[in-house]
Amino acid sequence: MRIGELARRTGITERALRYYEEQGLLRPERRPSGYRVYGDADVAAVRRIRILLAAGLSTAQITQVLPCMLDDDGRLAPLCPELVDALVEHREKIGEAIGELEATRANLDRIISAEARAGGDLRG
């Protein structure tokens, strides 16, 4: 199938598919005319890429982890033990970022609350 068909089947833009190829995530066959040709395996690959992107991994990280992922009917599982450690570390970084955002929200809540206690419109 050509890139337009893959885009329709996956719900991903042609631009995103070209970007995935630039990043080494997809490797379509090339016709002498230069057209990309994709197979059914590429539909599944795009699904795996989207799952990993939704999990917060960058395309560079996905390039590294994708070969070590088992796709069990849409559920991804790491095959390489060292990958689990890297994913746990990534999850911890996300947890730290969430903690920082929660602290920021709490600070903002205190500011909003102070404005309300001050009795009015501090907006000027």
Side-chain angles (χ1 to χ4, degrees):
M1 78 188 85
R2 295 204 1 215
I3 194 167
E5 176 65 18
L6 181 62
R8 281 187 291 284
R9 288 180 63 183
T10 61
I12 305 300
T13 65
E14 291 180 22
R15 182 177 178 188
L17 294 171
R18 287 185 194 98
Y19 176 73
Y20 294 169
E21 181 182 358
E22 289 171 11
Q23 299 303 305
L25 298 171
L26 291 175
R27 292 183 179 84
E29 177 187 330
R30 288 288 190 145
R31 299 285 179 180
S33 62
Y35 286 115
R36 296 167 177 88
V37 178
Y38 298 90
D40 289 333
D42 292 308
V43 174
V46 169
R47 187 184 73 246
R48 289 190 298 274
I49 291 165
R50 299 302 295 172
I51 291 169
L52 294 169
L53 285 169
L57 276 68
S58 69
T59 55
Q61 291 169 314
I62 294 170
T63 300
Q64 295 174 346
V65 304
L66 203 51
C68 284
M69 297 302 288
L70 170 68
D71 188 345
D72 184 17
D73 199 25
R75 289 187 47 150
L76 297 183
L79 292 173
C80 309
E82 64 275 7
L83 180 56
V84 174
D85 294 338
L87 292 173
V88 168
E89 183 179 323
H90 183 69
R91 184 184 62 195
E92 288 172 358
K93 287 180 183 177
I94 291 172
E96 290 170 9
I98 290 170
E100 291 171 9
L101 286 170
E102 287 174 339
T104 300
R105 181 179 57 195
N107 287 333
L108 186 57
D109 286 345
R110 283 191 288 278
I111 292 168
I112 292 167
S113 177
E115 192 249 352
R117 283 194 310 273
D121 193 1
L122 296 178
R123 290 172 251 171

